[in-house]
Amino acid sequence: MVRTAASLSRWFPCLLAAASIAITLWFVVAAGSSTAALQAGLALLLGVVLLAVGYFRYATTDLPGTEAGRVAAWTAGGFGVFLVMNLWFRGLEFAVGAVAPQFAVLTSLTAGTLGGTVAGIGTARRQRDHASRTAALDDYRVIFEEVEDAIIVHDAATFAIRDANPKAVDLLGYRVEELREVDVMDITASHPERDSTQVEQKMMAALEGDGDRFEWPIERKDGAYRWLQVSLKRATLHDDDVVLAVLRDITDQKERRQDLEQYETLAETVRDGLYATDADGEFTYVNDAMCDLTGYDCAALVGMHFSTLLERDAVDRVVEARAEIRRNPATTTAIEFDLVRGDASTVPTETRFTALTDDEGTTDEGFEGTVGVIRDISDRREYEVQLQTLHEVTRDLMAESDPEAIAQRSCAAFDDLLDHPVSGVFLEEGEELVAVATGRGAEELFDTVPVLPAGESLAWEVYETGEPQVHGRVSEAENVYDPDSPIDSEAIFPLGTNGVVIVGSPEPGAFSAQDVELMQVLAANTRTALDRARAEQSLRAREEELAERNERLDRFAELVAHDLRNPLTSAMGWLDLARESGDPAEFERVETAHERIREIITDLLELARSGGQVDRTDHVDLRRLATDVWTGIDTNGASLQVEESATVAADASRLRQVFDNLLRNAVVHGDSDVTVHLGTLPDDEGFFVADDGPGIPPDERDRIFEPGYTTHEEGTGFGMVVVDQLVSAHGWDISVSEADEGGAAFEIHGVEFLAE
């Protein structure tokens, strides 16, 4: 319509003038006389002059559009009236072929006036429209280039970039000419949710009048990544439809928003309560953990004064702390107090808070409130109580000297410190772990506490390796002693060479990290107490042994003095008699006394050498060693029978001395036909040396190993003492009983038998 109206305004005056000239020429041709033709020619000339006058009159006049239209309408109306009147009055003349000159003049005048007027008006309006469009275009460029926002003009048909203002050029880093050579996707940053389909959809929506605002990532020419807020709107430019894209850089805003979202997510996911208060002490922010801790709804908590959650003494401390950080905003304060929950219950808590200040606030004037974190410290309080209890238990353990009493106190401590039903202290006894103390729950779960043999349980693994084991599901572990045990969670801690401590629960995964830490500490303290008790026991045993040895040494010294004094006195007396009488028999008696003294000294040397532990052992065949010893003894008709032999781990030299003393003792105290028997004890417990001689009376058997005890007139009383010490040096035991044949039987137990 706009283009049609413009064409009509441009061509209508020309068509009207051409029609006027054609009518006038027709008048000239149709005139019947030269006078009429001359009149028509003058009218034509006058019409052309009026056409020119009208044209220049209105073409150079800044006539408003409404006025110009009114003039054109009146002129056209007048032309129509004159034309109708002339046709009516001169109709008869047309019929007869004659044309009045007046009609030609009137027609030319009317056509010239109307044509000039309309042509002038059309030209004036075209000039004014052109000026208006030029001014509007100038205004558009000024606004387009000076506006604060970045603007890109897109072609409505192809969506190609037609223009961009300086702000857009600065924002994107491309020159306008370069932007016209690329499309939107060329400057779009890689993003999984942005593609060309979205670009087309948003452009089409804008053309349909649905302006859209959205965020879009772009990559500048220099490679920088930016986020833009894009607003699309349809517009008309130079009579053409376009899409305007208004761009606003929101990169910083988006980063701040993302940071804020991260902080909010962090605040809502942390387990501790987070809060902020204003300068008056009212909460302005709380996270979900804070609401859960206090028992209040978050909406109710915001705006509440902090004192509502505190007891009186805590209020005073918090007020004082807030005043201090108000004076020194850089400080952070920590306070412990019992928080009063919404249901009036209390929970022990610790809060740490610092000042919130404005950008320039470093003094009291800049104080805007506080921000802090608060946490439930019930577990920590409980842990502190447990540590105090552990300290007291440790003191009690160290005061005990009996291993069994230490084990019982340890189990009681496990019951007091931990909420687990089963505990037990197992001490090593002969390749087995035996429970010497158990907690209260063990009796309820077990009819009898099992003995754990070597190599057949997790407990023995811990004992051997010294490494603790904690199982959330012990039934799934390997080498479980009893897979059908009601215990599902089990923790085993070594007690050094003493044994292990076991804590169990029927519940799976029952042990927390804090439980394990407490158990480790208590187990270590129990081990230390057991080691100390064992050391003290060993020390006491050593002291008793030394005391006994000293006592024996005193008795031994008295015995030695007595035994040596008698033959020495006899020798001195016989020597005096021999000097007086010169009788050789007296000298023989002196020699006999000296021989007796030499025997006593020899036995004493053997006794001294028999002390000390055996450090190294050999494979010793009992039959071979005993037979070899027997050949070196004056048996006086006695015989040796080896009933059963074996190879044992022993010090061959010291075991030889044992056999020498036992075999000599049997020969000396028996008759000439005495038979000595050597064999092994049942179940490989050891070996024996027995004879069929007179034996030893039961009431004297306990004295057989006392120094100086002998029933033979030539005996020194040290032979059996030497045997006892040599046997003990091997870690064996020796006992005396009556042999099957009625004589004496010496049984040696605790011997290690070896494969032959």
Side-chain angles (χ1 to χ4, degrees):
M1 289 295 295
V2 175
R3 292 184 177 180
T4 302
S7 299
L8 288 176
S9 66
R10 183 180 303 116
W11 294 107
F12 177 73
C14 297
L15 293 174
L16 190 58
S20 177
I21 294 171
I23 292 172
T24 304
L25 290 175
W26 178 70
F27 286 159
V28 172
V29 173
S33 63
S34 59
T35 303
L38 178 62
Q39 291 177 347
L42 293 174
L44 175 62
L45 178 61
L46 181 59
V48 172
V49 171
L50 289 176
L51 175 65
V53 171
Y55 175 81
F56 287 107
R57 168 66 178 87
Y58 290 102
T60 58
T61 302
D62 188 12
L63 192 65
T66 55
E67 184 178 346
R70 191 179 301 114
V71 171
W74 279 105
T75 304
F79 173 77
V81 171
F82 280 113
L83 182 61
V84 170
M85 290 178 65
N86 276 277
L87 288 175
W88 184 66
F89 283 115
R90 303 299 180 182
L92 186 59
E93 295 182 9
F94 275 110
V96 296
V99 179
Q102 295 86 352
F103 180 75
V105 171
L106 179 60
T107 302
S108 297
L109 291 175
T110 303
T113 302
L114 177 60
T117 300
V118 173
I121 291 173
T123 302
R125 294 192 66 178
R126 286 196 300 275
Q127 290 176 345
R128 185 170 59 250
D129 290 343
H130 176 73
S132 297
R133 286 196 299 270
T134 302
L137 183 59
D138 292 340
D139 292 341
Y140 154 75
R141 294 306 305 182
V142 171
I143 296 173
F144 186 65
E145 295 181 0
E146 297 299 329
V147 71
E148 290 296 324
D149 292 328
I151 300 176
I152 291 181
V153 180
H154 291 272
D155 186 273
T158 64
F159 306 141
I161 297 175
R162 289 173 51 175
D163 201 357
N165 70 347
K167 293 292 185 181
V169 170
D170 293 340
L171 178 60
L172 302 177
Y174 290 89
R175 291 181 292 108
V176 175
E177 294 78 7
E178 293 174 326
L179 288 173
R180 289 172 179 155
E181 299 298 325
V182 299
D183 59 25
V184 174
M185 291 308 299
D186 291 332
I187 59 175
T188 297
S190 177
H191 194 282
E193 300 178 0
R194 304 293 189 271
D195 54 32
S196 58
T197 302
Q198 285 186 321
V199 174
E200 183 175 349
Q201 290 174 347
K202 292 182 181 297
M203 290 287 188
M204 292 298 296
L207 286 174
E208 293 172 0
D210 298 329
D212 194 7
R213 177 177 295 178
F214 53 90
E215 295 179 358
W216 196 267
I218 62 101
E219 184 176 351
R220 286 171 45 88
K221 184 178 180 181
D222 58 10
Y225 189 94
R226 309 297 290 177
W227 274 96
L228 305 182
Q229 181 188 76
V230 182
S231 298
L232 296 180
K233 188 175 182 180
R234 175 180 175 176
T236 300
L237 186 62
H238 305 313
D239 300 329
D240 290 335
D241 289 339
V242 295
V243 177
L244 296 181
V246 180
L247 313 178
R248 187 167 296 173
D249 190 347
I250 60 169
T251 304
D252 294 341
Q253 298 176 20
K254 191 171 183 68
E255 289 178 353
R256 285 195 297 269
R257 187 165 65 242
Q258 290 175 342
D259 290 342
L260 181 59
E261 291 173 353
Q262 291 175 352
Y263 289 139
E264 290 178 348
T265 302
L266 177 63
E268 295 303 327
T269 55
V270 295
R271 297 173 57 186
D272 295 333
L274 300 179
Y275 63 87
T277 66
D278 59 19
D280 295 327
E282 294 181 352
F283 291 108
T284 58
Y285 169 79
V286 291
N287 68 345
D288 290 341
M290 177 71 173
C291 303
D292 294 340
L293 179 63
T294 62
Y296 285 96
D297 184 75
C298 291
L301 202 55
V302 173
M304 182 184 295
H305 197 269
F306 72 83
S307 60
T308 307
L309 305 178
L310 308 180
E311 295 179 335
R312 182 67 262 174
D313 64 325
V315 172
D316 295 338
R317 289 187 288 129
V318 172
V319 169
E320 182 179 352
R322 283 174 62 90
E324 176 61 27
I325 67 170
R326 191 164 190 157
R327 292 187 295 268
N328 301 291
T331 61
T332 298
T333 300
I335 298 178
E336 292 186 12
F337 59 88
D338 289 339
L339 181 141
V340 181
R341 291 171 48 84
D343 59 3
S345 63
T346 60
V347 57
T349 59
E350 179 191 58
T351 182
R352 292 178 179 271
F353 59 93
T354 190
L356 279 175
T357 60
D358 58 23
D359 293 339
E360 299 179 358
T362 56
T363 62
D364 180 73
E365 290 74 10
F367 181 77
E368 294 186 346
T370 62
V371 60
V373 58
I374 186 170
R375 66 178 52 179
D376 183 348
I377 59 172
S378 300
D379 292 342
R380 193 179 79 187
R381 289 276 181 89
E382 180 182 356
Y383 188 58
E384 290 172 352
V385 172
Q386 289 175 327
L387 289 179
Q388 179 62 30
T389 303
L390 185 61
H391 175 73
E392 296 172 358
V393 169
T394 302
R395 183 177 57 203
D396 294 342
L397 290 174
M398 295 306 170
E400 295 287 351
S401 58
D402 178 48
E404 186 172 339
I406 292 173
Q408 292 173 349
R409 182 67 183 94
S410 178
C411 287
F414 278 108
D415 288 342
D416 294 339
L417 290 173
L418 302 169
D419 188 22
H420 302 304
V422 179
S423 63
V425 175
F426 291 72
L427 300 184
E428 193 274 337
E429 295 180 7
E431 295 297 307
E432 291 179 333
L433 291 173
V434 180
V436 297
T438 57
R440 293 185 293 268
E443 297 178 357
E444 300 176 2
L445 290 176
F446 299 97
D447 295 332
T448 58
V449 180
V451 175
L452 305 176
E456 299 182 13
S457 64
L458 297 173
W460 191 265
E461 287 183 4
V462 173
Y463 173 70
E464 282 192 328
T465 63
E467 297 294 332
Q469 294 187 18
V470 179
H471 300 278
R473 284 191 177 274
V474 69
S475 58
E476 299 176 357
E478 298 181 359
N479 200 28
V480 178
Y481 178 73
D482 182 9
D484 299 325
S485 170
I487 299 299
D488 206 354
S489 296
E490 187 172 78
I492 312 170
F493 299 92
L495 299 176
T497 59
N498 303 289
V500 298
V501 60
I502 302 176
V503 180
S505 172
E507 301 296 328
F511 305 129
S512 66
Q514 182 173 307
D515 289 341
V516 174
E517 183 179 356
L518 281 172
M519 287 187 286
Q520 286 179 320
V521 174
L522 184 53
N525 291 344
T526 302
R527 172 182 176 176
T528 301
L530 287 172
D531 289 342
R532 182 193 53 77
R534 291 285 174 87
E536 289 182 354
Q537 283 186 340
S538 178
L539 180 60
R540 284 195 299 271
R542 180 64 176 168
E543 289 175 347
E544 291 174 358
E545 181 182 357
L546 289 176
E548 182 181 354
R549 284 190 176 186
N550 288 336
E551 183 179 354
R552 291 170 60 187
L553 184 60
D554 290 341
R555 294 198 308 269
F556 177 70
E558 294 176 359
L559 178 62
V560 170
H562 176 270
D563 287 354
L564 288 178
R565 186 181 299 110
N566 288 339
L568 183 59
T569 301
S570 299
M572 292 175 62
W574 289 329
L575 183 58
D576 290 339
L577 291 176
R579 287 174 179 170
E580 293 177 358
S581 63
D583 185 356
E586 300 298 336
F587 286 105
E588 291 179 0
R589 292 191 180 93
V590 172
E591 185 178 358
T592 300
H594 286 171
E595 184 64 30
R596 175 64 175 169
I597 292 172
R598 186 167 53 252
E599 290 177 357
I600 292 174
I601 292 174
T602 300
D603 287 346
L604 289 175
L605 288 174
E606 291 178 356
L607 179 61
R609 294 179 183 137
S610 66
Q613 296 296 314
V614 172
D615 297 326
R616 186 176 60 84
T617 61
D618 301 313
H619 288 58
V620 180
D621 183 88
L622 294 179
R623 178 193 302 274
R624 184 178 303 167
L625 182 61
T627 302
D628 187 47
V629 171
W630 183 258
T631 59
I633 298 175
D634 183 5
T635 59
N636 194 25
S639 62
L640 172 66
Q641 291 186 3
V642 179
E643 299 178 0
E644 189 174 2
S645 181
T647 300
V648 300
D651 184 322
S653 175
R654 296 190 183 189
L655 185 56
R656 171 181 288 275
Q657 188 63 49
V658 170
F659 278 140
D660 187 82
N661 286 13
L662 290 177
L663 296 177
R664 286 182 186 276
N665 183 74
V667 172
V668 169
H669 290 84
D671 298 330
S672 58
D673 59 350
V674 66
T675 300
V676 182
H677 301 272
L678 171 65
T680 58
L681 297 173
D683 299 326
D684 293 336
E685 291 185 356
F687 61 91
F688 67 87
V689 176
D691 60 62
D692 55 3
I696 303 173
D699 57 348
E700 295 185 10
R701 291 172 187 167
D702 292 339
R703 301 180 55 200
I704 192 68
F705 298 111
E706 293 181 0
Y709 175 80
T710 182
T711 58
H712 193 275
E713 60 182 9
E714 295 183 357
T716 62
F718 298 115
M720 290 299 102
V721 178
V722 172
V723 170
D724 182 38
Q725 290 195 1
L726 290 172
V727 169
S728 298
H730 283 83
W732 305 336
D733 297 316
I734 187 169
S735 62
V736 183
S737 61
E738 182 177 355
D740 294 339
E741 294 81 5
F746 293 87
E747 296 181 354
I748 298 176
H749 301 267
V751 181
E752 179 185 359
F753 285 83
L754 303 174
E756 298 183 7

